[in-house]
Every structure is written in structure tokens, then in C-alpha cells.
Amino acid sequence: MLSPQVPALVSYLGDQSLTEALLGALVDVSQASPSSLVSFLPALRIVGQQCTALLGHVAKIHGAVGIISETHAHSSLVYLVSLLGSMEHSFHHTLLLEIRALTDRYPSLLGGCGKDIYRMSNSFTAIARLLGRRLEESTATLCRS
């Protein structure tokens, strides 16, 4: 129902008094119709950079969009992994849930060793480095094919 309203909702993200409520609505929209948010991911990333308290919402939207296809999943993973290595601890759980959902859905993105990466370390920075390396390797393999 809200999918046709996504452009209008995103246009109001600049109003700080509405941003959190709008992102909450966009998370709901992303669950029902993730493709309606694909073209707005760059704008949502900017909102997350400007107000890090809202990154959990932005991560959930990226996770939902990543479910569309392996290509979208790869793009979302690159973004989510970059956040994992640089964000404060309070966001790590949400980021890991989104990353795990995407790597479980598309195991080939990490060469089938996603579960091993999560078991190897309790350090979010180390997990981010390992995931980042795997994503780079899978991208290089795809480019050579």
C-alpha cells in the first residue's frame, strides 16, 4: 500500500522531526516490497551517516533489499560489512543479523564458508575483515568469469 508513496516518504527524510518515524515506515515497506526502495538506498545511506542512531533502520532496509537477488545481496553486504567494522557496538547485533540472513540465503557470496567466519572470532572488527576479504574474493572470481 505504501510502495507508491516511497518517493514522497523519502523526500521528507530531511525533516529531522519525521526522520525516525519515516524510516520505521520504510522498514515496513521494505519487508513487503523491497524493490520499491532499491533506487533510494544512496539517500538512505546519507541519512544513516548524518544520524548514526538511525543506522539500524537503514541496515534493515538494506537487508530486505538484498533478498531480491544475489546482485542486490552482494551490494547490500558490502555496505553492511563496511558498517560492521566502523560502527559502535550497539549496532553490531542488527548488522550481523542482516548479514547472516543474506549469507544464509546466498551462500555462494562467501564461497560457502559463512558459518565458519561467524565461529572464528568474537571480534566484530575481525569478522568484518574476514567478510570483506571473502566479498572481494567472490567479486574477483565473478569478474574473471
Side-chain angles (χ1 to χ4, degrees):
M1 283 213 204
L2 282 177
S3 295
Q5 304 307 319
V6 168
L9 293 172
V10 171
S11 73
Y12 286 106
L13 286 174
D15 184 339
Q16 302 232 336
S17 65
L18 300 174
T19 305
E20 188 170 3
L22 288 170
L23 279 175
L26 290 172
V27 167
D28 292 339
V29 170
S30 74
Q31 302 301 311
S33 176
S35 58
S36 65
L37 286 148
V38 170
S39 61
F40 298 102
L41 292 179
L44 294 171
R45 289 176 183 170
I46 291 169
V47 169
Q49 289 172 339
Q50 292 171 344
C51 185
T52 57
L54 301 174
L55 276 172
H57 293 307
V58 175
K60 288 177 184 177
I61 293 168
H62 276 76
V65 169
I67 296 298
I68 296 171
S69 71
E70 192 165 343
T71 303
H72 286 93
H74 184 270
S75 176
S76 291
L77 276 173
V78 169
Y79 174 70
L80 294 170
V81 168
S82 74
L83 291 179
L84 186 60
S86 63
M87 294 311 302
E88 61 188 58
H89 183 74
S90 62
F91 292 106
H92 288 158
H93 182 70
T94 300
L95 290 169
L96 281 176
L97 286 174
E98 297 304 326
I99 290 168
R100 186 76 181 258
L102 293 175
T103 57
D104 285 351
R105 174 101 180 218
Y106 301 105
S108 63
L109 287 172
L110 297 179
C113 69
K115 289 182 172 87
D116 294 337
I117 289 174
Y118 299 112
R119 284 188 215 127
M120 281 194 216
S121 177
N122 290 330
S123 163
F124 293 111
T125 304
I127 291 171
R129 274 195 309 270
L130 290 168
L131 288 169
R133 261 190 247 133
R134 282 294 190 184
L135 286 170
E136 288 173 11
E137 289 169 9
S138 72
T139 301
T141 302
L142 287 174
C143 289
R144 282 184 244 141
S145 301

Coordinates of all heavy atoms in Angstrom, one line a residue, residues 4-54:
P4 N 3.8 2.9 -3.5 CA 3.8 4.1 -4.4 C 4.1 5.4 -3.7 O 4.5 6.4 -4.4 CB 2.3 4.1 -4.8 CG 1.7 2.8 -4.5 CD 2.5 2.2 -3.4
Q5 N 4.1 5.4 -2.4 CA 4.4 6.6 -1.6 C 5.9 6.7 -1.2 O 6.3 7.7 -0.6 CB 3.5 6.7 -0.4 CG 2.1 6.6 -0.6 CD 1.6 7.6 -1.6 OE1 2.0 8.8 -1.6 NE2 0.7 7.2 -2.5
V6 N 6.7 5.8 -1.6 CA 8.1 5.7 -1.2 C 8.8 7.0 -1.6 O 9.5 7.6 -0.8 CB 8.8 4.5 -1.7 CG1 10.3 4.6 -1.5 CG2 8.3 3.3 -0.9
P7 N 8.7 7.5 -2.9 CA 9.4 8.7 -3.2 C 9.0 9.9 -2.3 O 9.9 10.7 -1.9 CB 9.0 9.0 -4.7 CG 8.6 7.6 -5.2 CD 8.0 6.9 -4.0
A8 N 7.7 10.0 -2.0 CA 7.3 11.1 -1.2 C 7.8 11.0 0.3 O 8.3 11.9 0.9 CB 5.8 11.2 -1.1
L9 N 7.8 9.7 0.8 CA 8.3 9.5 2.1 C 9.8 9.8 2.2 O 10.2 10.4 3.2 CB 8.0 8.0 2.5 CG 6.6 7.6 2.7 CD1 6.5 6.1 2.9 CD2 6.0 8.3 3.9
V10 N 10.5 9.4 1.2 CA 12.0 9.6 1.2 C 12.3 11.1 1.1 O 13.2 11.6 1.7 CB 12.7 8.9 0.1 CG1 14.1 9.3 -0.1 CG2 12.6 7.4 0.3
S11 N 11.4 11.9 0.4 CA 11.6 13.3 0.2 C 11.5 14.0 1.6 O 12.0 15.1 1.7 CB 10.7 13.9 -0.8 OG 9.4 14.0 -0.3
Y12 N 10.8 13.4 2.5 CA 10.6 14.1 3.8 C 11.7 13.7 4.8 O 11.6 14.2 6.0 CB 9.2 13.8 4.4 CG 8.1 14.5 3.7 CD1 7.2 13.8 2.9 CD2 7.9 15.8 3.9 CE1 6.2 14.4 2.2 CE2 6.9 16.5 3.3 CZ 6.0 15.8 2.4 OH 5.0 16.4 1.8
L13 N 12.6 12.9 4.5 CA 13.7 12.4 5.4 C 14.5 13.6 5.9 O 15.2 13.5 6.9 CB 14.5 11.3 4.8 CG 13.9 10.0 4.7 CD1 14.8 9.0 3.9 CD2 13.6 9.4 6.0
G14 N 14.5 14.7 5.2 CA 15.3 15.8 5.6 C 14.7 16.5 6.8 O 15.4 17.3 7.5
D15 N 13.5 16.3 7.1 CA 12.8 16.9 8.3 C 13.1 16.0 9.5 O 12.5 15.0 9.7 CB 11.3 17.0 8.0 CG 10.5 17.7 9.1 OD1 11.1 17.7 10.3 OD2 9.4 18.1 8.9
Q16 N 14.0 16.5 10.3 CA 14.5 15.7 11.4 C 13.4 15.3 12.4 O 13.6 14.3 13.0 CB 15.6 16.5 12.2 CG 16.7 16.9 11.3 CD 18.1 16.5 11.8 OE1 18.2 16.4 13.0 NE2 19.0 16.3 11.0
S17 N 12.4 16.0 12.5 CA 11.3 15.6 13.4 C 10.5 14.4 12.9 O 9.8 13.8 13.6 CB 10.3 16.8 13.6 OG 9.7 17.2 12.4
L18 N 10.7 14.1 11.6 CA 9.9 13.0 11.0 C 10.8 11.8 10.6 O 10.3 10.7 10.4 CB 9.3 13.4 9.7 CG 8.2 14.6 9.8 CD1 7.8 15.0 8.4 CD2 7.0 14.1 10.6
T19 N 12.1 12.0 10.6 CA 13.1 11.0 10.1 C 12.9 9.6 10.7 O 12.8 8.6 10.0 CB 14.5 11.5 10.2 OG1 14.6 12.8 9.6 CG2 15.5 10.5 9.6
E20 N 12.9 9.5 12.0 CA 12.8 8.2 12.7 C 11.5 7.5 12.3 O 11.5 6.3 12.0 CB 13.0 8.3 14.2 CG 13.1 7.0 14.8 CD 13.5 7.1 16.3 OE1 13.6 8.2 16.9 OE2 13.6 6.0 16.9
A21 N 10.4 8.2 12.4 CA 9.1 7.6 12.1 C 9.0 7.2 10.6 O 8.5 6.1 10.3 CB 8.0 8.6 12.4
L22 N 9.6 8.0 9.7 CA 9.6 7.7 8.3 C 10.5 6.4 8.0 O 10.1 5.6 7.3 CB 10.1 8.8 7.5 CG 9.2 10.0 7.3 CD1 9.9 11.2 6.7 CD2 7.9 9.6 6.5
L23 N 11.6 6.4 8.7 CA 12.5 5.2 8.5 C 11.8 3.9 9.0 O 11.9 2.9 8.4 CB 13.8 5.4 9.1 CG 14.8 6.2 8.3 CD1 16.1 6.4 9.1 CD2 15.2 5.5 7.0
G24 N 11.1 4.1 10.1 CA 10.3 2.9 10.6 C 9.3 2.5 9.6 O 9.1 1.2 9.4
A25 N 8.6 3.4 9.0 CA 7.6 3.0 7.9 C 8.3 2.4 6.7 O 7.8 1.5 6.1 CB 6.8 4.3 7.5
L26 N 9.5 3.0 6.3 CA 10.2 2.4 5.2 C 10.8 1.0 5.5 O 10.8 0.2 4.6 CB 11.4 3.4 4.8 CG 10.9 4.7 4.2 CD1 12.1 5.7 4.0 CD2 10.2 4.5 2.9
V27 N 11.1 0.7 6.7 CA 11.5 -0.6 7.1 C 10.3 -1.6 6.8 O 10.5 -2.6 6.2 CB 12.0 -0.7 8.6 CG1 12.1 -2.2 9.0 CG2 13.3 0.0 8.7
D28 N 9.1 -1.2 7.2 CA 7.9 -2.0 7.0 C 7.7 -2.2 5.5 O 7.4 -3.3 5.0 CB 6.7 -1.4 7.6 CG 6.8 -1.4 9.2 OD1 7.5 -2.2 9.7 OD2 6.1 -0.6 9.8
V29 N 7.8 -1.1 4.7 CA 7.6 -1.2 3.3 C 8.7 -2.1 2.7 O 8.4 -2.9 1.8 CB 7.7 0.2 2.6 CG1 7.8 0.1 1.1 CG2 6.6 1.1 3.0
S30 N 9.9 -2.0 3.2 CA 11.0 -2.9 2.6 C 10.7 -4.4 2.8 O 11.1 -5.2 2.0 CB 12.4 -2.5 3.2 OG 12.5 -2.9 4.5
Q31 N 10.0 -4.7 3.9 CA 9.7 -6.1 4.2 C 8.6 -6.6 3.2 O 8.7 -7.7 2.7 CB 9.2 -6.3 5.6 CG 10.1 -5.8 6.7 CD 11.4 -6.6 6.6 OE1 11.5 -7.8 6.6 NE2 12.5 -5.9 6.7
A32 N 7.7 -5.7 2.8 CA 6.6 -6.1 1.9 C 7.0 -5.9 0.4 O 6.6 -6.7 -0.4 CB 5.4 -5.3 2.2
S33 N 7.7 -4.9 0.1 CA 8.1 -4.6 -1.3 C 9.5 -4.0 -1.4 O 9.7 -2.8 -1.6 CB 7.1 -3.6 -1.8 OG 7.4 -3.2 -3.1
P34 N 10.5 -4.9 -1.2 CA 11.9 -4.4 -1.2 C 12.3 -3.7 -2.4 O 13.1 -2.7 -2.4 CB 12.7 -5.6 -0.9 CG 11.9 -6.8 -1.2 CD 10.4 -6.3 -1.0
S35 N 11.8 -4.1 -3.6 CA 12.2 -3.5 -4.8 C 11.8 -2.0 -4.9 O 12.4 -1.2 -5.7 CB 11.6 -4.2 -6.0 OG 10.2 -4.3 -6.0
S36 N 10.8 -1.6 -4.2 CA 10.4 -0.2 -4.2 C 11.4 0.8 -3.6 O 11.4 2.0 -3.7 CB 9.0 0.0 -3.5 OG 9.1 -0.3 -2.2
L37 N 12.4 0.2 -2.9 CA 13.4 1.0 -2.2 C 14.8 1.0 -2.8 O 15.7 1.7 -2.4 CB 13.5 0.6 -0.7 CG 12.3 1.1 0.1 CD1 12.0 0.1 1.2 CD2 12.6 2.4 0.6
V38 N 15.0 0.2 -3.8 CA 16.3 0.0 -4.4 C 16.9 1.3 -4.8 O 18.1 1.6 -4.5 CB 16.3 -1.0 -5.6 CG1 17.6 -1.0 -6.4 CG2 15.9 -2.4 -5.2
S39 N 16.2 2.1 -5.5 CA 16.8 3.4 -6.0 C 17.0 4.4 -4.9 O 17.6 5.5 -5.2 CB 15.9 4.0 -7.2 OG 14.6 4.3 -6.7
F40 N 16.5 4.2 -3.8 CA 16.6 5.2 -2.7 C 17.7 4.8 -1.7 O 17.9 5.5 -0.7 CB 15.3 5.3 -2.0 CG 14.2 5.9 -2.9 CD1 13.2 5.0 -3.4 CD2 14.2 7.2 -3.2 CE1 12.3 5.5 -4.3 CE2 13.2 7.7 -4.1 CZ 12.3 6.8 -4.6
L41 N 18.4 3.7 -1.9 CA 19.4 3.2 -0.9 C 20.5 4.3 -0.8 O 20.9 4.5 0.4 CB 20.0 1.9 -1.4 CG 19.1 0.7 -1.3 CD1 19.8 -0.6 -1.7 CD2 18.6 0.5 0.1
P42 N 21.0 5.0 -1.8 CA 22.0 6.0 -1.6 C 21.5 7.1 -0.6 O 22.3 7.6 0.2 CB 22.3 6.5 -3.0 CG 22.0 5.4 -3.9 CD 20.8 4.7 -3.3
A43 N 20.3 7.5 -0.8 CA 19.7 8.6 0.1 C 19.6 8.1 1.5 O 19.9 8.8 2.5 CB 18.4 9.0 -0.5
L44 N 19.2 6.8 1.6 CA 19.1 6.3 3.0 C 20.5 6.1 3.7 O 20.6 6.3 4.9 CB 18.4 4.9 2.9 CG 17.0 5.0 2.5 CD1 16.4 3.6 2.2 CD2 16.1 5.7 3.5
R45 N 21.5 5.8 2.9 CA 22.9 5.8 3.4 C 23.3 7.1 4.0 O 23.9 7.2 5.0 CB 23.9 5.3 2.4 CG 23.7 3.8 2.0 CD 24.6 3.4 0.9 NE 24.4 2.0 0.6 CZ 24.9 1.4 -0.5 NH1 25.7 2.1 -1.3 NH2 24.6 0.1 -0.7
I46 N 23.0 8.1 3.2 CA 23.3 9.5 3.7 C 22.6 9.8 5.0 O 23.2 10.4 5.9 CB 23.0 10.5 2.6 CG1 23.9 10.4 1.4 CG2 23.0 12.0 3.1 CD1 23.5 11.1 0.1
V47 N 21.3 9.5 5.1 CA 20.6 9.7 6.4 C 21.3 9.0 7.5 O 21.5 9.5 8.6 CB 19.1 9.2 6.2 CG1 18.4 9.2 7.6 CG2 18.4 10.1 5.3
G48 N 21.7 7.7 7.3 CA 22.5 7.0 8.3 C 23.8 7.6 8.7 O 24.1 7.6 9.9
Q49 N 24.5 8.2 7.7 CA 25.7 8.9 8.0 C 25.5 10.1 8.8 O 26.3 10.5 9.7 CB 26.5 9.2 6.7 CG 27.0 8.1 6.0 CD 27.6 8.5 4.6 OE1 27.2 9.5 4.1 NE2 28.5 7.6 4.1
Q50 N 24.4 10.8 8.5 CA 24.1 12.1 9.2 C 23.6 11.8 10.7 O 23.8 12.6 11.5 CB 23.1 12.9 8.5 CG 23.6 13.4 7.2 CD 22.6 14.0 6.3 OE1 21.4 13.8 6.5 NE2 23.0 14.8 5.3
C51 N 22.9 10.7 10.9 CA 22.4 10.4 12.2 C 22.6 8.9 12.5 O 21.8 8.1 12.1 CB 20.9 10.8 12.3 SG 20.2 10.5 13.9
T52 N 23.7 8.6 13.1 CA 24.1 7.2 13.3 C 23.1 6.4 14.1 O 23.0 5.2 14.0 CB 25.5 7.1 13.9 OG1 25.6 7.8 15.1 CG2 26.6 7.6 12.9
A53 N 22.3 7.1 14.9 CA 21.3 6.4 15.7 C 20.2 5.7 14.8 O 19.5 4.8 15.3 CB 20.6 7.4 16.7
L54 N 20.2 6.1 13.6 CA 19.2 5.6 12.7 C 19.7 4.5 11.8 O 19.0 3.9 10.9 CB 18.6 6.7 11.8 CG 17.9 7.8 12.6 CD1 17.5 8.9 11.7 CD2 16.7 7.3 13.4

